[in-house]
Amino acid sequence: MKPRAVPRRILPLAAALCLAAGGVSVFTIASDGAIAGAITVERPDLSQTDRQRVAAVTRPTTDFTRPEKFEAMSGGAGTSIASVNADSFSQFSANISFAEEETFKLGNALFRKLWVSSPSSTQASDGLGPLYNARACQTCHLKDGRGHPPEGASDTTSMFLRLARAPQTEAERQALAAHMVPNFPDPVYGAQLQDSAVPGLPAEGHMRIEYTEETVVLAGGERVSLRRPRYFVTDLGYGPLDATTTLSPRVTQAMSGLGLIEAIHPDDILGLADPDDADGDGISGKAAQVLDPQAGAMMLGRFGWKAQSASVRQQSAEAFSGDIGISTPDVPRSHGDCTAAQTACLSLPDGVQPRFGNSEAPAPVLDLVTFYSENLAVPARRKASFRETLAGKKQFYETGCITCHTPKFVTRRDAANKAHAFQLIWPYSDFLLHDMGEGLADGQPVGEASGREWRTPPLWGIGLTKTVSGHTFFLHDGRARNLTEAILWHGGEAEKARAGFAGLSKDDRQALITFLESL
């Protein structure tokens, strides 16, 4: 059960918290002000005093006349206060040690490293592909920012198609139920469409998008055009796709604050889940449980568009394999996403150098890239105290946006990196899966996420997308050309919040957008 955000107005106590013997109790407030129910959120990392402090500081505000204390420091003590420019997402956390700065910079160099095909004289850099989408992490995550769909002459480097089909046998259904796999790849093309290949090998194909325009009329008569995409694959290099294979477009996500997200105690996220909508508010956030290969245990998924990864390291290793075709100790597939049907791909040499280990990117490489990814700082808020920003914040709360976009958390005291420990952070996400309606459905289940469910993306840094990435394309496939369009695509569990936004006056809608642009 989750704290309730009441649309159109906020009750005097939107979420009342008190101490319990085992943790922090979160109470739901009914429309008449009565306590409707309670659960205990376990935080074994906290003392009783800590629990009281956390309960107080994470309580949703009801005062929109001034900013909250520390609100401008979105990433806690690690927040970057560097000048706003195209490198705003590429700063290291302000509170890491001097020695860790060196580790961060080494990881940055490897993140930018261009891999080459095998065999090569640069043996520490070969192993690319043989089928791949990018030659470097930075190619997809340019400036550590948000990807985009192809526009005009632009390529699709920061956007790709995930391929998957439903289970077809009892053994496959059992494997899915046991979380051994998130879904099943196309039998020929694998889990991801690779639009590039090493010399002498055909690429798998290319993504093509067709858009149709739809008009939405908002309160006051303002008209907004939304573009609805359809996805196709052209130039297939290895025959047809399986008839049951689904196409799921994904743009790359911004990298800021990943280590802080990992440091949120799972009990705080699980405490927000309400999979059966027990409180009847129409929001049924669901936690994704995934098998973490390094831990060999079930863990809370919190990364990726469908919360399919439990850790930054897991996400990094999968990206090395799926995007670049580089094996790591965690995902030791030296031929990347090549399938058994792609015999020419499997016959090509790989880049494994036994003296470095049994993978193309040995453990030190994965360790450094993971550290870099975990310690990219969240930029500080801009204009958090401005009147229009505060007015927009009030609308954001009162239309019910915070029901899924949970404003703040305090990270765990026992975080693996001291810099991430016990920080008040403002990601604006509950990191749960939500049904976003048929309009945003991709029809592709991933683990516990259905074809209509997506993880709530964090909003910190969203206002700097244009500055860093040079565009304002949003949502999982970049269909939204601005924040207004992104909100209007919300459906399913977010339909009430969307309707609330559409029903605001033009000035109030603009104030809400101004608030988002300040994040």
Side-chain angles (χ1 to χ4, degrees):
M1 189 175 293
K2 54 190 176 297
R4 181 181 180 185
V6 182
R8 302 299 302 143
R9 67 188 182 90
I10 292 187
L11 298 169
L13 289 176
L17 296 91
C18 72
L19 298 184
V24 178
S25 289
V26 181
F27 291 89
T28 302
I29 309 300
S31 58
D32 61 359
I35 295 177
I39 62 162
T40 298
V41 179
E42 297 293 339
R43 282 290 300 269
D45 61 310
L46 300 180
S47 67
Q48 185 172 357
T49 301
D50 284 344
R51 293 181 190 122
Q52 187 170 13
R53 293 172 62 193
V54 170
V57 78
T58 57
R59 183 179 295 119
T61 188
T62 58
D63 180 3
F64 302 103
T65 63
R66 57 187 175 182
E68 298 173 70
K69 194 173 183 180
F70 307 120
E71 186 174 359
M73 301 296 283
S74 299
T79 303
S80 168
I81 58 173
S83 299
V84 172
N85 56 37
D87 294 320
S88 290
F89 291 166
S90 300
Q91 308 299 322
F92 54 77
S93 296
N95 60 342
I96 62 174
S97 68
F98 183 73
E100 287 175 324
E101 287 183 32
E102 180 184 28
T103 305
F104 177 91
K105 291 172 181 176
L106 290 171
N108 184 18
L110 290 168
F111 196 80
R112 295 168 178 268
K113 175 191 181 79
L114 291 172
W115 295 84
V116 298
S117 58
S118 301
S120 170
S121 59
T122 57
Q123 294 183 351
S125 299
D126 67 352
L128 176 68
L131 296 166
Y132 62 94
N133 291 105
R135 291 183 57 199
C137 305
Q138 183 75 198
T139 307
C140 293
H141 298 279
L142 187 61
K143 294 288 186 180
D144 304 295
R146 189 182 306 273
H148 60 83
E151 294 290 319
S154 300
D155 62 24
T156 59
T157 301
S158 61
M159 183 176 180
F160 55 84
L161 289 173
R162 285 279 170 85
L163 311 175
R165 60 174 176 81
Q168 297 174 349
T169 66
E170 183 58 31
E172 288 184 343
R173 284 187 282 273
Q174 290 180 5
L176 199 61
H179 297 86
M180 299 302 295
V181 293
N183 51 30
F184 295 92
D186 182 88
V188 174
Y189 289 90
Q192 191 164 307
L193 185 74
Q194 314 285 344
D195 56 10
S196 297
V198 300
L201 189 69
E204 290 186 324
H206 298 91
M207 173 174 55
R208 181 168 64 88
I209 312 174
E210 292 181 358
Y211 293 106
T212 55
E213 296 285 341
E214 304 175 2
T215 300
V216 175
V217 181
L218 308 181
E222 181 181 356
R223 301 171 72 87
V224 177
S225 183
L226 304 181
R227 59 178 190 175
R228 182 182 296 273
R230 292 180 63 200
Y231 295 92
F232 307 87
V233 178
T234 62
D235 307 318
L236 284 167
Y238 300 86
L241 289 163
D242 188 88
T244 62
T245 293
T246 56
L247 308 178
S248 180
R250 311 285 177 87
V251 297
T252 53
Q253 297 180 297
M255 302 279 290
S256 299
L258 297 183
L260 291 169
I261 294 172
E262 191 166 1
I264 298 172
H265 199 285
D267 288 350
D268 281 351
I269 297 174
L270 293 171
L272 297 171
D274 185 13
D276 299 318
D277 192 20
D279 58 7
D281 67 351
I283 310 296
S284 51
K286 182 173 71 178
Q289 297 295 332
V290 301
L291 181 64
D292 184 271
Q294 187 183 29
M298 297 301 296
M299 297 180 67
L300 176 68
R302 58 182 84 190
F303 299 103
W305 283 108
K306 300 237 179 186
Q308 68 269 21
S309 298
S311 67
V312 179
R313 184 184 178 95
Q314 181 185 8
Q315 184 87 341
S316 299
E318 291 288 350
F320 262 123
S321 176
D323 300 345
I324 312 177
I326 295 295
S327 59
T328 62
D330 291 26
V331 184
R333 298 193 297 261
S334 60
H335 286 80
D337 194 35
C338 292
T339 67
Q342 295 170 321
T343 55
C345 180
L346 295 175
S347 68
L348 293 173
D350 60 32
V352 175
Q353 306 296 328
R355 67 184 185 279
F356 297 139
N358 62 355
S359 58
E360 293 157 323
V365 172
L366 181 58
D367 291 344
L368 288 167
V369 169
T370 299
F371 185 87
Y372 171 77
S373 301
E374 289 173 341
N375 289 282
L376 284 160
V378 180
R381 289 276 305 278
R382 286 88 46 218
K383 303 180 180 180
S385 63
F386 281 35
R387 180 180 299 176
E388 187 176 12
T389 303
L390 291 168
K393 179 181 177 181
K394 183 173 186 287
Q395 298 300 335
F396 186 83
Y397 276 55
E398 292 187 350
T399 52
C401 299
I402 67 164
T403 309
C404 299
H405 289 283
T406 303
K408 48 191 169 175
F409 293 89
V410 172
T411 59
R412 54 193 307 160
R413 268 206 180 276
D414 56 354
N417 187 329
K418 184 179 179 181
H420 302 151
F422 210 56
Q423 298 294 312
L424 172 63
I425 62 173
W426 304 73
Y428 285 90
S429 173
D430 60 8
F431 304 99
L432 298 172
L433 297 169
H434 293 277
D435 183 336
M436 295 300 292
E438 191 59 34
L440 289 179
D442 66 346
Q444 187 174 110
V446 179
E448 296 187 351
S450 74
R452 292 167 54 106
E453 290 178 321
W454 301 93
R455 181 202 68 154
T456 307
L459 298 180
W460 54 12
I462 197 169
L464 292 175
T465 300
K466 177 70 172 179
T467 301
V468 173
S469 302
H471 66 78
T472 55
F473 296 113
F474 299 107
L475 301 178
H476 67 279
D477 56 2
R479 70 177 68 185
R481 292 163 289 196
N482 52 56
L483 291 168
T484 296
E485 289 185 26
I487 296 170
L488 293 176
W489 270 112
H490 283 50
E493 296 175 42
E495 177 61 35
K496 289 183 181 179
R498 178 216 174 273
F501 172 78
L504 294 174
S505 69
K506 185 173 182 179
D507 287 346
D508 284 344
R509 287 195 301 270
Q510 183 53 53
L512 192 152
I513 297 300
T514 297
F515 165 70
L516 292 175
E517 290 173 343
S518 78
L519 295 179

